[in-house]
Amino acid sequence: MKKLLALFAVAVVSIAGAFAFDFPSVFNGTWVDETYDADWTFRTDNTIVLSYHSTGAVIFTFNKDNMKNIRTSVESDSHGGDGNPAVVLQFRCDETQRDYKFVLPAMPKPRLKIEFRPDWTKWVYSSQFPWVKGGAE
């Protein structure tokens, strides 16, 4: 089973790499960060909409115009056990003055890991949050 998941993750990243700007489809859907009352919605049009979970008001939309150094990869993830593959999406946004990293382990009902680094501090925000709805908007 682990080998099958690893092959799937590699295929997703390989397909994404064939296009100039396509997120791995495993990210599609909405993930809630309850610490900041935030929803992170990954859409099929290669945008990420950050909105308030409580009201739905949009905080920021990440897209090809404000994201740079976009990278996808497959890494081993300790969260899902030794050797569990995880799909990783990383990018830089100058408008928000942060580097972002999203890690999604290949396991049933995984929690999305986020890490972002603001330019103005050495502090790194790191959290894991659940998927709340699937599909793309």
Side-chain angles (χ1 to χ4, degrees):
M1 180 68 167
K2 283 187 178 185
K3 287 182 182 180
L4 180 61
L5 289 173
L7 288 173
F8 171 73
V10 169
V12 167
V13 172
S14 297
I15 291 168
F19 302 96
F21 187 75
D22 277 335
F23 296 154
S25 61
V26 296
F27 286 101
N28 289 351
T30 299
W31 310 80
V32 63
D33 182 350
E34 294 172 351
T35 302
Y36 286 101
D37 182 36
D39 282 346
W40 292 87
T41 301
F42 291 76
R43 299 172 42 169
T44 58
D45 64 356
N46 296 315
T47 60
I48 302 170
V49 178
L50 175 61
S51 58
Y52 289 105
H53 182 70
S54 58
T55 66
V58 173
I59 299 167
F60 193 81
T61 300
F62 298 90
N63 59 42
K64 65 181 171 91
D65 296 326
N66 58 33
M67 297 168 66
K68 65 182 190 180
N69 301 328
I70 301 167
R71 297 177 303 282
T72 58
S73 61
V74 175
E75 297 177 3
S76 181
D77 176 63
S78 60
H79 177 66
D82 188 31
N84 185 48
V87 178
V88 178
L89 171 66
Q90 296 175 279
F91 61 89
R92 165 78 189 163
C93 179
D94 288 337
E95 283 185 56
T96 62
Q97 301 177 346
R98 291 173 176 85
D99 294 309
Y100 295 86
K101 180 178 182 180
F102 298 91
V103 180
L104 187 61
M107 55 190 278
K109 297 185 182 181
R111 295 176 65 81
L112 181 68
K113 296 179 188 178
I114 185 175
E115 183 177 285
F116 61 78
R117 300 170 186 274
D119 292 348
W120 61 89
T121 180
K122 291 184 183 214
W123 173 79
V124 175
Y125 176 72
S126 182
S127 186
Q128 296 181 27
F129 34 87
W131 172 82
V132 292
K133 66 181 175 180
E137 312 264 319

